[in-house]
Amino acid sequence: MFQSLVILLIFLTVMMVVSVIIASKRVVKNRKSVVHLIWMAVFTTVCYTVFILIPPRNPGLASFAAGVYFLSTDWLVVYLMLFAADYTEVKPLSRVPRFIVGLLAGVDSISFVVNTFTHHMFTVEVASADKLGIEYWDVQLKSPHIVHRVFVYAIVLYSLVILLYKLIKVPAIYKNKYSSILCQTLSVVGLNVLCSAVDAKFDYSVILYASLAISICYLALYASPKKLLERINSTIVEDSVIGLFAYDNSGRCVGANQAVRELFAGEGDIYEIAEKYRARWEEEFKDNSSNLVGDERTIVVNGEKQYIYVSYQRFLDKKGRNLGCCFQIENRTVVVKKFKEEQFRATHDMLTGLLNRNTFEEEVRRILSEAKEPYYMICSNIQDFKLVNELFGSKVGDKLLIAQAKMISRSASDHSVSARIYADKFSTLLPKRCFVETDFIENMKQIIDMGLTGSFKLHFYIGVYDIVDVNEPVWTMYDKAIMAIDSIRGNYEQSISYYKEELLQHIMEEKEVLNEFDQAIEEKQFHMFLQPQIANNGNVVGAEALVRWIHPQKGMVSPGIFIPTLEKAGLIHKLDLYMWESAAKKLEEWKKEGKEKYSLSVNISTKDFVYIDVCDAFRTLAQKYDFDVKNLKLEITESALAENVRELMTALDGLHELGYDIEIDDFGSGYSSLGMLKDINADILKIDMIFLRETKNVQRSTTILKNIISMSKELGMPVITEGVETKEQVDFLMDVGCDMFQGFYFAKPMSLENFEQAYG
Ligand code: C2E
Ligand code: CA
Ligand code: CA
């Protein structure tokens, strides 16, 4: 019996030492208080074991050992209390009570040590248990020992109270932890009380100290409630954003979490849905030998496409038998849609929904690399789109662009691609068989009819390039279609133009003109040539000033080449200002020389009114040079009058006020202009012979000419006819009462020197 007790105590001590060494290495909460408590339990157990092992002939030593054992119980309960406070997180003692407890334990400890000599707390004597045939130390307690008991029980009671308090407060799954420690502590106390009540030979409660310490070590540092884990696991699964269908080994759905229920909400019974998708997906994943496989899928839920990632997981036992499986469904719809939206944004024009410039290039390359039929590159552009935005606002501008996008992509097929390249420039690559010119024109008309009110005339241009070499750079093809447009820009009669090789030549020439223009003005390469104007009595009365570009390399360049280019580029006013000034200067010179008999007619381009204040320019000339304004006649083409009558009339009034005479140039060559004469305050009518030359019905033309002249007579306007080449023409014009003539019949345009020599 005695030996078994000693062996048991040694065994428990070893167990405690092992557990405290292992526990010291764990990084967990409460470790410190647990480790302290166990070391204290080790100390107490060792003390007790040593005490009972002391041989009977050493009562002094036994008394000392018993004293140390008693004092160790003081500290054991103190550490039990500290552990309980730490473990329950109930902070029971502030510094002062803590100090008092420590002080009491200290005093008690000293008292036990002193007891070796004073024997005031207890005495030890050898006793023998006859039946067992052993001798043991019998401890005779004295009354002061009661103080130690009270102290120890009070501290244990306090520890039990806070453990109980915690036990009541914590959720059910944690109650085990506390109740187990509580019960064990109670049993230790119970046994201790029992041992002293029956005056047992040994304090058997020491055995329970050790087991309590080991159990505390396990509960506090290792044990976590299984239910908690289950609860956490199931909560994670239930609340997961990844949907989950779980199936048993027969394929029956045994669970569906919140995420799948949300995904399939409104689609019917979730278990039926689970069954439907298992039947579909299991088959697809079956061939894969891995236990966990996944793939992208799209499904339709409530009529809407959903992008999901499905993983399939098989559960097998150790022998490889099927336990069940699950599908994890990650709903990626939002992310995929966002990605697609961003992709769309990066590749498309957001206003019209057509492709953007870069993507167009890639697509054209792709289509042409697989092309089995001939293609057109088609471009469209609105005349003066900037003006539309300014006049009608950008909302109308946007509407127009959207309509234009629809127009250009209307003939689209699988093998075509359309894009908004820049601003109002659109382009489409279309198989030739899909291009019907009349359809395009019809579509354009519909947009025009969509209606922009006021005097603004909406006009579209379409440029078509017939792709000969599919390997040509895409932007070269596009440029060629734009060149086709540029060749008809400003021409309201034409909407569609096809690229021809000559266009390139023409455009190169235009570029050259524009590149050289500024330098040519500076270097005075432009010269004023004069073509005489003859009155019906045969006298030269004046001349028309016509510009000639005497190019250092090309020689004389006729205005037909560079004037339209300068007009298109908005530069003609620079040249005209130069010509007008040359004419004014010459008139001043003639005046000074007393040769005031000739007038000079200068040309005013329609575009001059757009870029400069024409009135102001002529006012300045009249101030700067000394000449008779009646001698500087201003030629304005009839087509200019047709375009913007009101603005022009104001300008003409201004010029009249300055005293200048206005000639209507090219009368009869273009628009029906008779009606206009009543509104326009012009002084001289200049009839173009061209319309006489080009007609098949000469009789009709001569009748018209005759009437124009007689009408202008009635209006009091002198008439000059230009382009007169033959004597017959002169005779006829004389007959019908024409006042003046200009034409090769009399003289070609000539240099100033030649003019002055001939007529000076
Ligand atoms: P325009 O104002 O109608 O000028 C008359 C054109 O008819 C001149 O051509 C002249 O050489 C040509 N011409 C004169 N008599 C005859 C004839 O009997 N038969 C034929 N076939 N032609 C005749 P040019 O000098 O080549 O000028 C062409 C056009 O260039 C002018 O037509 C005018 O619109 C423009 N232009 C010329 N100089 C200037 C200028 O300084 N400023 C502006 N804005 N335009 C100018
Ligand atoms: Ca003229
Ligand atoms: Ca003319």
Side-chain angles (χ1 to χ4, degrees), residues 214-228:
I214 292 169
S215 135
I216 283 179
C217 177
Y218 168 75
L219 286 171
L221 305 186
Y222 297 93
S224 52
K226 243 189 163 166
K227 273 188 186 160
L228 169 69

Side-chain angles (χ1 to χ4, degrees), residues 544 603 635 665 686:
E544 179 176 4
N603 290 285
E635 294 193 6
D665 200 359
K686 192 165 188 185

Side-chain angles (χ1 to χ4, degrees), residues 560-578:
I561 307 257
F562 58 87
I563 289 208
T565 307
L566 293 178
E567 282 185 328
K568 222 182 329 181
L571 292 170
I572 187 67
H573 61 278
K574 289 194 183 178
L575 181 65
D576 278 348
L577 284 169
Y578 173 75

Side-chain angles (χ1 to χ4, degrees), residues 166 175 210 234 262 296 365 374 384 474 518 530 551 652 668 670 681 684 702 705 740:
K166 188 74 180 180
K175 287 200 192 296
S234 72
E262 270 171 21
E296 306 269 353
R365 276 269 73 87
D384 292 331
V474 172
D518 281 337
L530 296 180
H551 194 279
L652 296 191
N681 196 3
I684 301 159
T702 48
L705 190 58
M740 285 168 285

